[in-house]
PDB file of all heavy atoms in Angstrom:
ATOM      1  N   LEU J   1       0.844  -1.244  -0.019  1.00 95.00           N
ATOM      2  CA  LEU J   1      -0.014   0.030  -0.011  1.00 95.00           C
ATOM      3  C   LEU J   1       0.873   1.288   0.034  1.00 95.00           C
ATOM      4  O   LEU J   1       0.741   2.164  -0.831  1.00 95.00           O
ATOM      5  CB  LEU J   1      -0.954  -0.037   1.166  1.00 95.00           C
ATOM      6  CG  LEU J   1      -2.100  -0.927   1.124  1.00 95.00           C
ATOM      7  CD1 LEU J   1      -2.900  -0.967   2.473  1.00 95.00           C
ATOM      8  CD2 LEU J   1      -3.084  -0.493   0.004  1.00 95.00           C
ATOM      9  N   VAL J   2       1.853   1.304   0.942  1.00 95.00           N
ATOM     10  CA  VAL J   2       2.701   2.501   1.020  1.00 95.00           C
ATOM     11  C   VAL J   2       3.525   2.623  -0.300  1.00 95.00           C
ATOM     12  O   VAL J   2       3.701   3.779  -0.742  1.00 95.00           O
ATOM     13  CB  VAL J   2       3.531   2.418   2.327  1.00 95.00           C
ATOM     14  CG1 VAL J   2       4.594   3.585   2.286  1.00 95.00           C
ATOM     15  CG2 VAL J   2       2.640   2.484   3.574  1.00 95.00           C
ATOM     16  N   LEU J   3       4.049   1.546  -0.669  1.00 95.00           N
ATOM     17  CA  LEU J   3       4.925   1.554  -1.944  1.00 95.00           C
ATOM     18  C   LEU J   3       4.082   2.108  -3.085  1.00 95.00           C
ATOM     19  O   LEU J   3       4.624   2.818  -3.910  1.00 95.00           O
ATOM     20  CB  LEU J   3       5.559   0.267  -2.088  1.00 95.00           C
ATOM     21  CG  LEU J   3       6.491   0.084  -3.328  1.00 95.00           C
ATOM     22  CD1 LEU J   3       7.652   1.074  -3.225  1.00 95.00           C
ATOM     23  CD2 LEU J   3       7.108  -1.277  -3.488  1.00 95.00           C
ATOM     24  N   ALA J   4       2.958   1.467  -3.252  1.00 95.00           N
ATOM     25  CA  ALA J   4       2.069   1.877  -4.384  1.00 95.00           C
ATOM     26  C   ALA J   4       1.709   3.354  -4.329  1.00 95.00           C
ATOM     27  O   ALA J   4       1.782   4.102  -5.323  1.00 95.00           O
ATOM     28  CB  ALA J   4       0.835   1.064  -4.382  1.00 95.00           C
ATOM     29  N   LEU J   5       1.390   3.911  -3.213  1.00 94.00           N
ATOM     30  CA  LEU J   5       1.068   5.329  -3.050  1.00 94.00           C
ATOM     31  C   LEU J   5       2.242   6.207  -3.274  1.00 94.00           C
ATOM     32  O   LEU J   5       2.123   7.292  -3.766  1.00 94.00           O
ATOM     33  CB  LEU J   5       0.474   5.574  -1.611  1.00 94.00           C
ATOM     34  CG  LEU J   5      -0.994   4.962  -1.417  1.00 94.00           C
ATOM     35  CD1 LEU J   5      -1.403   4.996  -0.020  1.00 94.00           C
ATOM     36  CD2 LEU J   5      -1.961   5.549  -2.379  1.00 94.00           C
ATOM     37  N   LEU J   6       3.425   5.752  -2.807  1.00 95.00           N
ATOM     38  CA  LEU J   6       4.624   6.504  -3.133  1.00 95.00           C
ATOM     39  C   LEU J   6       5.021   6.467  -4.473  1.00 95.00           C
ATOM     40  O   LEU J   6       5.574   7.448  -5.089  1.00 95.00           O
ATOM     41  CB  LEU J   6       5.867   6.018  -2.212  1.00 95.00           C
ATOM     42  CG  LEU J   6       5.733   6.291  -0.694  1.00 95.00           C
ATOM     43  CD1 LEU J   6       6.977   5.629  -0.012  1.00 95.00           C
ATOM     44  CD2 LEU J   6       5.691   7.775  -0.424  1.00 95.00           C
ATOM     45  N   THR J   7       4.725   5.411  -5.226  1.00 94.00           N
ATOM     46  CA  THR J   7       5.011   5.264  -6.678  1.00 94.00           C
ATOM     47  C   THR J   7       4.002   6.319  -7.395  1.00 94.00           C
ATOM     48  O   THR J   7       4.496   6.955  -8.335  1.00 94.00           O
ATOM     49  CB  THR J   7       4.672   3.856  -7.080  1.00 94.00           C
ATOM     50  OG1 THR J   7       5.574   2.919  -6.427  1.00 94.00           O
ATOM     51  CG2 THR J   7       4.986   3.783  -8.651  1.00 94.00           C
ATOM     52  N   VAL J   8       2.804   6.339  -6.985  1.00 93.00           N
ATOM     53  CA  VAL J   8       1.872   7.316  -7.575  1.00 93.00           C
ATOM     54  C   VAL J   8       2.384   8.778  -7.437  1.00 93.00           C
ATOM     55  O   VAL J   8       2.416   9.607  -8.297  1.00 93.00           O
ATOM     56  CB  VAL J   8       0.448   7.216  -7.008  1.00 93.00           C
ATOM     57  CG1 VAL J   8      -0.402   8.314  -7.476  1.00 93.00           C
ATOM     58  CG2 VAL J   8      -0.128   5.831  -7.479  1.00 93.00           C
ATOM     59  N   ALA J   9       2.892   9.009  -6.158  1.00 92.00           N
ATOM     60  CA  ALA J   9       3.404  10.352  -5.941  1.00 92.00           C
ATOM     61  C   ALA J   9       4.724  10.651  -6.766  1.00 92.00           C
ATOM     62  O   ALA J   9       4.817  11.764  -7.257  1.00 92.00           O
ATOM     63  CB  ALA J   9       3.853  10.477  -4.500  1.00 92.00           C
ATOM     64  N   ALA J  10       5.485   9.573  -6.966  1.00 92.00           N
ATOM     65  CA  ALA J  10       6.691   9.800  -7.837  1.00 92.00           C
ATOM     66  C   ALA J  10       6.214   9.992  -9.334  1.00 92.00           C
ATOM     67  O   ALA J  10       6.821  10.900  -9.982  1.00 92.00           O
ATOM     68  CB  ALA J  10       7.597   8.567  -7.738  1.00 92.00           C
ATOM     69  N   LEU J  11       5.223   9.221  -9.802  1.00 91.00           N
ATOM     70  CA  LEU J  11       4.911   9.454 -11.193  1.00 91.00           C
ATOM     71  C   LEU J  11       4.184  10.802 -11.392  1.00 91.00           C
ATOM     72  O   LEU J  11       4.349  11.330 -12.490  1.00 91.00           O
ATOM     73  CB  LEU J  11       3.811   8.303 -11.482  1.00 91.00           C
ATOM     74  CG  LEU J  11       4.388   6.910 -11.571  1.00 91.00           C
ATOM     75  CD1 LEU J  11       3.273   5.881 -11.773  1.00 91.00           C
ATOM     76  CD2 LEU J  11       5.355   6.771 -12.829  1.00 91.00           C
ATOM     77  N   THR J  12       3.496  11.254 -10.415  1.00 89.00           N
ATOM     78  CA  THR J  12       2.822  12.573 -10.625  1.00 89.00           C
ATOM     79  C   THR J  12       3.644  13.805 -10.304  1.00 89.00           C
ATOM     80  O   THR J  12       3.521  14.913 -10.920  1.00 89.00           O
ATOM     81  CB  THR J  12       1.589  12.660  -9.760  1.00 89.00           C
ATOM     82  OG1 THR J  12       1.970  12.371  -8.403  1.00 89.00           O
ATOM     83  CG2 THR J  12       0.572  11.628 -10.144  1.00 89.00           C
ATOM     84  N   GLY J  13       4.701  13.586  -9.476  1.00 81.00           N
ATOM     85  CA  GLY J  13       5.570  14.684  -9.200  1.00 81.00           C
ATOM     86  C   GLY J  13       6.978  14.579  -9.670  1.00 81.00           C
ATOM     87  O   GLY J  13       7.818  15.530  -9.531  1.00 81.00           O
ATOM     88  N   GLY J  14       7.273  13.551 -10.419  1.00 71.00           N
ATOM     89  CA  GLY J  14       8.624  13.262 -10.960  1.00 71.00           C
ATOM     90  C   GLY J  14       9.651  13.165  -9.941  1.00 71.00           C
ATOM     91  O   GLY J  14      10.892  13.402 -10.208  1.00 71.00           O
ATOM     92  N   THR J  15       9.344  12.664  -8.708  1.00 81.00           N
ATOM     93  CA  THR J  15      10.366  12.445  -7.668  1.00 81.00           C
ATOM     94  C   THR J  15      10.810  11.046  -7.674  1.00 81.00           C
ATOM     95  O   THR J  15      10.640  10.335  -6.633  1.00 81.00           O
ATOM     96  CB  THR J  15       9.675  12.811  -6.293  1.00 81.00           C
ATOM     97  OG1 THR J  15       8.502  12.231  -6.273  1.00 81.00           O
ATOM     98  CG2 THR J  15       9.532  14.339  -6.206  1.00 81.00           C
ATOM     99  N   PHE J  16      11.353  10.490  -8.790  1.00 85.00           N
ATOM    100  CA  PHE J  16      11.801   9.123  -8.717  1.00 85.00           C
ATOM    101  C   PHE J  16      12.966   8.867  -7.890  1.00 85.00           C
ATOM    102  O   PHE J  16      13.244   7.835  -7.468  1.00 85.00           O
ATOM    103  CB  PHE J  16      12.060   8.756 -10.287  1.00 85.00           C
ATOM    104  CG  PHE J  16      10.827   8.612 -11.092  1.00 85.00           C
ATOM    105  CD1 PHE J  16      10.487   9.649 -11.965  1.00 85.00           C
ATOM    106  CD2 PHE J  16      10.042   7.479 -10.954  1.00 85.00           C
ATOM    107  CE1 PHE J  16       9.367   9.579 -12.686  1.00 85.00           C
ATOM    108  CE2 PHE J  16       8.844   7.382 -11.726  1.00 85.00           C
ATOM    109  CZ  PHE J  16       8.540   8.442 -12.616  1.00 85.00           C
ATOM    110  N   GLY J  17      13.753   9.982  -7.668  1.00 88.00           N
ATOM    111  CA  GLY J  17      14.933   9.770  -6.775  1.00 88.00           C
ATOM    112  C   GLY J  17      14.421   9.517  -5.428  1.00 88.00           C
ATOM    113  O   GLY J  17      15.028   8.725  -4.652  1.00 88.00           O
ATOM    114  N   ALA J  18      13.294  10.146  -5.043  1.00 91.00           N
ATOM    115  CA  ALA J  18      12.765   9.958  -3.701  1.00 91.00           C
ATOM    116  C   ALA J  18      12.342   8.506  -3.568  1.00 91.00           C
ATOM    117  O   ALA J  18      12.362   7.832  -2.404  1.00 91.00           O
ATOM    118  CB  ALA J  18      11.701  10.957  -3.362  1.00 91.00           C
ATOM    119  N   LEU J  19      11.675   8.041  -4.680  1.00 93.00           N
ATOM    120  CA  LEU J  19      11.173   6.658  -4.583  1.00 93.00           C
ATOM    121  C   LEU J  19      12.194   5.562  -4.384  1.00 93.00           C
ATOM    122  O   LEU J  19      12.118   4.674  -3.661  1.00 93.00           O
ATOM    123  CB  LEU J  19      10.318   6.458  -5.863  1.00 93.00           C
ATOM    124  CG  LEU J  19       9.627   5.047  -5.964  1.00 93.00           C
ATOM    125  CD1 LEU J  19       8.665   4.759  -4.825  1.00 93.00           C
ATOM    126  CD2 LEU J  19       9.048   4.899  -7.340  1.00 93.00           C
ATOM    127  N   GLY J  20      13.399   5.829  -5.234  1.00 94.00           N
ATOM    128  CA  GLY J  20      14.411   4.852  -5.024  1.00 94.00           C
ATOM    129  C   GLY J  20      15.060   4.878  -3.648  1.00 94.00           C
ATOM    130  O   GLY J  20      15.416   3.921  -3.065  1.00 94.00           O
ATOM    131  N   ARG J  21      15.116   6.149  -3.120  1.00 94.00           N
ATOM    132  CA  ARG J  21      15.636   6.273  -1.803  1.00 94.00           C
ATOM    133  C   ARG J  21      14.748   5.717  -0.694  1.00 94.00           C
ATOM    134  O   ARG J  21      15.197   5.039   0.221  1.00 94.00           O
ATOM    135  CB  ARG J  21      15.825   7.832  -1.461  1.00 94.00           C
ATOM    136  CG  ARG J  21      16.548   8.071  -0.189  1.00 94.00           C
ATOM    137  CD  ARG J  21      16.820   9.556   0.012  1.00 94.00           C
ATOM    138  NE  ARG J  21      15.675  10.353   0.005  1.00 94.00           N
ATOM    139  CZ  ARG J  21      15.365  11.251  -0.939  1.00 94.00           C
ATOM    140  NH1 ARG J  21      16.194  11.583  -1.855  1.00 94.00           N
ATOM    141  NH2 ARG J  21      14.134  11.954  -0.904  1.00 94.00           N
ATOM    142  N   ALA J  22      13.413   5.739  -0.989  1.00 95.00           N
ATOM    143  CA  ALA J  22      12.456   5.108   0.007  1.00 95.00           C
ATOM    144  C   ALA J  22      12.624   3.542   0.027  1.00 95.00           C
ATOM    145  O   ALA J  22      12.613   3.049   1.011  1.00 95.00           O
ATOM    146  CB  ALA J  22      10.968   5.436  -0.442  1.00 95.00           C
ATOM    147  N   VAL J  23      12.811   2.986  -1.156  1.00 95.00           N
ATOM    148  CA  VAL J  23      13.054   1.501  -1.253  1.00 95.00           C
ATOM    149  C   VAL J  23      14.355   1.126  -0.515  1.00 95.00           C
ATOM    150  O   VAL J  23      14.402   0.199   0.263  1.00 95.00           O
ATOM    151  CB  VAL J  23      13.052   0.983  -2.665  1.00 95.00           C
ATOM    152  CG1 VAL J  23      13.504  -0.392  -2.824  1.00 95.00           C
ATOM    153  CG2 VAL J  23      11.643   1.248  -3.414  1.00 95.00           C
ATOM    154  N   LEU J  24      15.448   1.950  -0.811  1.00 96.00           N
ATOM    155  CA  LEU J  24      16.706   1.593  -0.192  1.00 96.00           C
ATOM    156  C   LEU J  24      16.601   1.919   1.323  1.00 96.00           C
ATOM    157  O   LEU J  24      17.210   1.074   2.103  1.00 96.00           O
ATOM    158  CB  LEU J  24      17.762   2.517  -0.748  1.00 96.00           C
ATOM    159  CG  LEU J  24      18.139   2.236  -2.257  1.00 96.00           C
ATOM    160  CD1 LEU J  24      19.268   3.297  -2.705  1.00 96.00           C
ATOM    161  CD2 LEU J  24      18.795   0.850  -2.365  1.00 96.00           C
ATOM    162  N   GLY J  25      15.944   2.897   1.705  1.00 96.00           N
ATOM    163  CA  GLY J  25      15.807   3.254   3.067  1.00 96.00           C
ATOM    164  C   GLY J  25      15.051   2.067   3.877  1.00 96.00           C
ATOM    165  O   GLY J  25      15.363   1.761   5.007  1.00 96.00           O
ATOM    166  N   GLY J  26      14.026   1.502   3.208  1.00 96.00           N
ATOM    167  CA  GLY J  26      13.218   0.473   3.776  1.00 96.00           C
ATOM    168  C   GLY J  26      14.194  -0.793   4.075  1.00 96.00           C
ATOM    169  O   GLY J  26      14.121  -1.455   4.947  1.00 96.00           O
ATOM    170  N   LEU J  27      14.960  -1.081   2.871  1.00 96.00           N
ATOM    171  CA  LEU J  27      15.861  -2.274   3.028  1.00 96.00           C
ATOM    172  C   LEU J  27      16.934  -1.976   4.079  1.00 96.00           C
ATOM    173  O   LEU J  27      17.274  -2.886   4.825  1.00 96.00           O
ATOM    174  CB  LEU J  27      16.543  -2.471   1.664  1.00 96.00           C
ATOM    175  CG  LEU J  27      15.533  -2.950   0.502  1.00 96.00           C
ATOM    176  CD1 LEU J  27      16.311  -3.004  -0.820  1.00 96.00           C
ATOM    177  CD2 LEU J  27      15.050  -4.357   0.862  1.00 96.00           C
ATOM    178  N   ALA J  28      17.429  -0.782   4.082  1.00 96.00           N
ATOM    179  CA  ALA J  28      18.547  -0.537   5.083  1.00 96.00           C
ATOM    180  C   ALA J  28      18.103  -0.571   6.471  1.00 96.00           C
ATOM    181  O   ALA J  28      18.733  -1.311   7.349  1.00 96.00           O
ATOM    182  CB  ALA J  28      19.104   0.858   4.735  1.00 96.00           C
ATOM    183  N   LEU J  29      16.896  -0.062   6.807  1.00 96.00           N
ATOM    184  CA  LEU J  29      16.478  -0.082   8.153  1.00 96.00           C
ATOM    185  C   LEU J  29      16.023  -1.525   8.584  1.00 96.00           C
ATOM    186  O   LEU J  29      16.256  -1.937   9.651  1.00 96.00           O
ATOM    187  CB  LEU J  29      15.276   0.983   8.368  1.00 96.00           C
ATOM    188  CG  LEU J  29      14.904   1.276   9.812  1.00 96.00           C
ATOM    189  CD1 LEU J  29      16.055   1.849  10.516  1.00 96.00           C
ATOM    190  CD2 LEU J  29      13.671   2.183   9.905  1.00 96.00           C
ATOM    191  N   ALA J  30      15.460  -2.213   7.622  1.00 95.00           N
ATOM    192  CA  ALA J  30      15.024  -3.586   7.987  1.00 95.00           C
ATOM    193  C   ALA J  30      16.330  -4.451   8.283  1.00 95.00           C
ATOM    194  O   ALA J  30      16.343  -5.324   9.130  1.00 95.00           O
ATOM    195  CB  ALA J  30      14.199  -4.146   6.758  1.00 95.00           C
ATOM    196  N   PHE J  31      17.296  -4.129   7.470  1.00 95.00           N
ATOM    197  CA  PHE J  31      18.637  -4.869   7.651  1.00 95.00           C
ATOM    198  C   PHE J  31      19.190  -4.611   9.049  1.00 95.00           C
ATOM    199  O   PHE J  31      19.621  -5.567   9.748  1.00 95.00           O
ATOM    200  CB  PHE J  31      19.565  -4.522   6.582  1.00 95.00           C
ATOM    201  CG  PHE J  31      20.936  -5.111   6.752  1.00 95.00           C
ATOM    202  CD1 PHE J  31      21.171  -6.492   6.428  1.00 95.00           C
ATOM    203  CD2 PHE J  31      22.007  -4.377   7.307  1.00 95.00           C
ATOM    204  CE1 PHE J  31      22.491  -7.150   6.715  1.00 95.00           C
ATOM    205  CE2 PHE J  31      23.288  -5.027   7.491  1.00 95.00           C
ATOM    206  CZ  PHE J  31      23.493  -6.242   7.195  1.00 95.00           C
ATOM    207  N   VAL J  32      19.222  -3.409   9.385  1.00 94.00           N
ATOM    208  CA  VAL J  32      19.728  -3.033  10.776  1.00 94.00           C
ATOM    209  C   VAL J  32      18.979  -3.691  11.839  1.00 94.00           C
ATOM    210  O   VAL J  32      19.469  -4.139  12.723  1.00 94.00           O
ATOM    211  CB  VAL J  32      19.778  -1.464  10.929  1.00 94.00           C
ATOM    212  CG1 VAL J  32      20.061  -1.113  12.411  1.00 94.00           C
ATOM    213  CG2 VAL J  32      20.710  -0.897   9.953  1.00 94.00           C
ATOM    214  N   TYR J  33      17.612  -3.612  11.631  1.00 94.00           N
ATOM    215  CA  TYR J  33      16.751  -4.224  12.802  1.00 94.00           C
ATOM    216  C   TYR J  33      16.992  -5.688  12.835  1.00 94.00           C
ATOM    217  O   TYR J  33      16.886  -6.438  13.846  1.00 94.00           O
ATOM    218  CB  TYR J  33      15.337  -3.859  12.543  1.00 94.00           C
ATOM    219  CG  TYR J  33      14.963  -2.545  13.226  1.00 94.00           C
ATOM    220  CD1 TYR J  33      15.315  -1.400  12.751  1.00 94.00           C
ATOM    221  CD2 TYR J  33      14.101  -2.641  14.399  1.00 94.00           C
ATOM    222  CE1 TYR J  33      14.988  -0.162  13.407  1.00 94.00           C
ATOM    223  CE2 TYR J  33      13.810  -1.470  15.085  1.00 94.00           C
ATOM    224  CZ  TYR J  33      14.144  -0.283  14.550  1.00 94.00           C
ATOM    225  OH  TYR J  33      13.873   0.886  15.252  1.00 94.00           O
ATOM    226  N   ARG J  34      17.135  -6.349  11.610  1.00 94.00           N
ATOM    227  CA  ARG J  34      17.358  -7.835  11.550  1.00 94.00           C
ATOM    228  C   ARG J  34      18.644  -8.145  12.282  1.00 94.00           C
ATOM    229  O   ARG J  34      18.682  -9.200  13.009  1.00 94.00           O
ATOM    230  CB  ARG J  34      17.370  -8.250  10.061  1.00 94.00           C
ATOM    231  CG  ARG J  34      17.555  -9.796  10.025  1.00 94.00           C
ATOM    232  CD  ARG J  34      16.432 -10.596  10.527  1.00 94.00           C
ATOM    233  NE  ARG J  34      16.554 -11.946  10.472  1.00 94.00           N
ATOM    234  CZ  ARG J  34      17.142 -12.792  11.457  1.00 94.00           C
ATOM    235  NH1 ARG J  34      17.487 -12.176  12.572  1.00 94.00           N
ATOM    236  NH2 ARG J  34      17.092 -14.053  11.284  1.00 94.00           N
ATOM    237  N   VAL J  35      19.677  -7.436  12.128  1.00 93.00           N
ATOM    238  CA  VAL J  35      20.946  -7.628  12.898  1.00 93.00           C
ATOM    239  C   VAL J  35      20.797  -7.573  14.320  1.00 93.00           C
ATOM    240  O   VAL J  35      21.267  -8.342  15.149  1.00 93.00           O
ATOM    241  CB  VAL J  35      22.024  -6.755  12.325  1.00 93.00           C
ATOM    242  CG1 VAL J  35      23.232  -6.812  13.163  1.00 93.00           C
ATOM    243  CG2 VAL J  35      22.347  -7.048  10.888  1.00 93.00           C
ATOM    244  N   LEU J  36      20.003  -6.463  14.717  1.00 91.00           N
ATOM    245  CA  LEU J  36      19.802  -6.266  16.164  1.00 91.00           C
ATOM    246  C   LEU J  36      18.956  -7.366  16.755  1.00 91.00           C
ATOM    247  O   LEU J  36      19.274  -7.864  17.826  1.00 91.00           O
ATOM    248  CB  LEU J  36      19.110  -4.924  16.335  1.00 91.00           C
ATOM    249  CG  LEU J  36      19.933  -3.650  16.085  1.00 91.00           C
ATOM    250  CD1 LEU J  36      18.976  -2.345  16.135  1.00 91.00           C
ATOM    251  CD2 LEU J  36      21.137  -3.497  16.995  1.00 91.00           C
ATOM    252  N   GLU J  37      18.062  -7.904  15.964  1.00 89.00           N
ATOM    253  CA  GLU J  37      17.205  -9.013  16.462  1.00 89.00           C
ATOM    254  C   GLU J  37      17.924 -10.216  16.541  1.00 89.00           C
ATOM    255  O   GLU J  37      17.755 -11.018  17.441  1.00 89.00           O
ATOM    256  CB  GLU J  37      15.982  -9.057  15.485  1.00 89.00           C
ATOM    257  CG  GLU J  37      14.950 -10.107  15.930  1.00 89.00           C
ATOM    258  CD  GLU J  37      15.146 -11.510  15.464  1.00 89.00           C
ATOM    259  OE1 GLU J  37      15.929 -11.659  14.435  1.00 89.00           O
ATOM    260  OE2 GLU J  37      14.686 -12.503  16.088  1.00 89.00           O
ATOM    261  N   PHE J  38      18.844 -10.427  15.604  1.00 89.00           N
ATOM    262  CA  PHE J  38      19.735 -11.616  15.635  1.00 89.00           C
ATOM    263  C   PHE J  38      20.777 -11.558  16.784  1.00 89.00           C
ATOM    264  O   PHE J  38      20.897 -12.580  17.511  1.00 89.00           O
ATOM    265  CB  PHE J  38      20.563 -11.651  14.396  1.00 89.00           C
ATOM    266  CG  PHE J  38      21.503 -12.800  14.236  1.00 89.00           C
ATOM    267  CD1 PHE J  38      21.086 -14.155  14.088  1.00 89.00           C
ATOM    268  CD2 PHE J  38      22.905 -12.654  14.538  1.00 89.00           C
ATOM    269  CE1 PHE J  38      22.017 -15.241  14.050  1.00 89.00           C
ATOM    270  CE2 PHE J  38      23.691 -13.696  14.466  1.00 89.00           C
ATOM    271  CZ  PHE J  38      23.279 -14.989  14.282  1.00 89.00           C
ATOM    272  N   LEU J  39      21.291 -10.429  17.104  1.00 88.00           N
ATOM    273  CA  LEU J  39      22.190 -10.210  18.182  1.00 88.00           C
ATOM    274  C   LEU J  39      21.489 -10.313  19.582  1.00 88.00           C
ATOM    275  O   LEU J  39      22.095 -10.792  20.505  1.00 88.00           O
ATOM    276  CB  LEU J  39      22.956  -8.953  18.064  1.00 88.00           C
ATOM    277  CG  LEU J  39      23.898  -8.857  16.862  1.00 88.00           C
ATOM    278  CD1 LEU J  39      24.510  -7.446  16.760  1.00 88.00           C
ATOM    279  CD2 LEU J  39      24.986  -9.966  16.906  1.00 88.00           C
ATOM    280  N   ASN J  40      20.277  -9.780  19.629  1.00 83.00           N
ATOM    281  CA  ASN J  40      19.612  -9.704  20.913  1.00 83.00           C
ATOM    282  C   ASN J  40      18.086 -10.021  20.743  1.00 83.00           C
ATOM    283  O   ASN J  40      17.246  -9.092  20.782  1.00 83.00           O
ATOM    284  CB  ASN J  40      19.809  -8.303  21.524  1.00 83.00           C
ATOM    285  CG  ASN J  40      19.179  -8.257  22.855  1.00 83.00           C
ATOM    286  OD1 ASN J  40      18.878  -9.148  23.632  1.00 83.00           O
ATOM    287  ND2 ASN J  40      18.857  -6.987  23.346  1.00 83.00           N
ATOM    288  N   PRO J  41      17.781 -11.275  20.571  1.00 80.00           N
ATOM    289  CA  PRO J  41      16.381 -11.650  20.273  1.00 80.00           C
ATOM    290  C   PRO J  41      15.405 -11.382  21.461  1.00 80.00           C
ATOM    291  O   PRO J  41      14.266 -11.190  21.257  1.00 80.00           O
ATOM    292  CB  PRO J  41      16.466 -13.064  19.883  1.00 80.00           C
ATOM    293  CG  PRO J  41      17.674 -13.580  20.531  1.00 80.00           C
ATOM    294  CD  PRO J  41      18.664 -12.511  20.386  1.00 80.00           C
ATOM    295  N   ALA J  42      16.041 -11.246  22.675  1.00 75.00           N
ATOM    296  CA  ALA J  42      15.205 -10.920  23.808  1.00 75.00           C
ATOM    297  C   ALA J  42      14.788  -9.394  23.859  1.00 75.00           C
ATOM    298  O   ALA J  42      13.773  -9.081  24.475  1.00 75.00           O
ATOM    299  CB  ALA J  42      15.937 -11.332  25.119  1.00 75.00           C
ATOM    300  N   GLY J  43      15.564  -8.617  23.160  1.00 76.00           N
ATOM    301  CA  GLY J  43      15.331  -7.161  23.254  1.00 76.00           C
ATOM    302  C   GLY J  43      14.603  -6.597  21.907  1.00 76.00           C
ATOM    303  O   GLY J  43      14.162  -5.540  21.977  1.00 76.00           O
ATOM    304  N   MET J  44      14.604  -7.416  20.899  1.00 82.00           N
ATOM    305  CA  MET J  44      14.063  -6.962  19.613  1.00 82.00           C
ATOM    306  C   MET J  44      13.197  -8.206  19.036  1.00 82.00           C
ATOM    307  O   MET J  44      13.850  -9.219  18.815  1.00 82.00           O
ATOM    308  CB  MET J  44      15.138  -6.483  18.683  1.00 82.00           C
ATOM    309  CG  MET J  44      14.760  -5.963  17.368  1.00 82.00           C
ATOM    310  SD  MET J  44      13.976  -4.352  17.485  1.00 82.00           S
ATOM    311  CE  MET J  44      15.394  -3.418  17.955  1.00 82.00           C
ATOM    312  N   GLY J  45      11.967  -7.921  18.741  1.00 85.00           N
ATOM    313  CA  GLY J  45      11.188  -9.042  18.053  1.00 85.00           C
ATOM    314  C   GLY J  45      11.156  -8.971  16.666  1.00 85.00           C
ATOM    315  O   GLY J  45      11.462  -7.940  16.042  1.00 85.00           O
ATOM    316  N   PHE J  46      10.775 -10.113  15.995  1.00 88.00           N
ATOM    317  CA  PHE J  46      10.747 -10.114  14.528  1.00 88.00           C
ATOM    318  C   PHE J  46       9.709  -9.272  14.077  1.00 88.00           C
ATOM    319  O   PHE J  46       9.738  -8.879  12.875  1.00 88.00           O
ATOM    320  CB  PHE J  46      10.635 -11.550  14.125  1.00 88.00           C
ATOM    321  CG  PHE J  46      10.918 -11.748  12.663  1.00 88.00           C
ATOM    322  CD1 PHE J  46      12.273 -11.357  12.144  1.00 88.00           C
ATOM    323  CD2 PHE J  46      10.105 -12.240  11.706  1.00 88.00           C
ATOM    324  CE1 PHE J  46      12.572 -11.533  10.856  1.00 88.00           C
ATOM    325  CE2 PHE J  46      10.366 -12.403  10.365  1.00 88.00           C
ATOM    326  CZ  PHE J  46      11.676 -12.007  10.006  1.00 88.00           C
TER     327      PHE J  46
END
């Protein structure tokens, strides 16, 4: 839902750089949280 709505915003506003950054930002933050969850599963849930 969020990705589709951001894609519409990129298509209508020409902000494709922001869309690419959004995807990379999601991957980056998920990766960081996955590492934290792996290192300390008691303090960070999946």
Side-chain angles (χ1 to χ4, degrees):
L1 285 173
V2 172
L3 182 58
L5 291 170
L6 289 178
T7 300
V8 171
L11 289 171
T12 57
T15 50
F16 289 102
L19 181 61
R21 190 174 58 242
V23 173
L24 291 176
L27 292 172
L29 195 59
F31 174 77
V32 170
Y33 270 75
R34 182 65 181 91
V35 171
L36 292 175
E37 188 268 339
F38 176 78
L39 295 175
N40 183 24
M44 181 75 65
F46 197 57

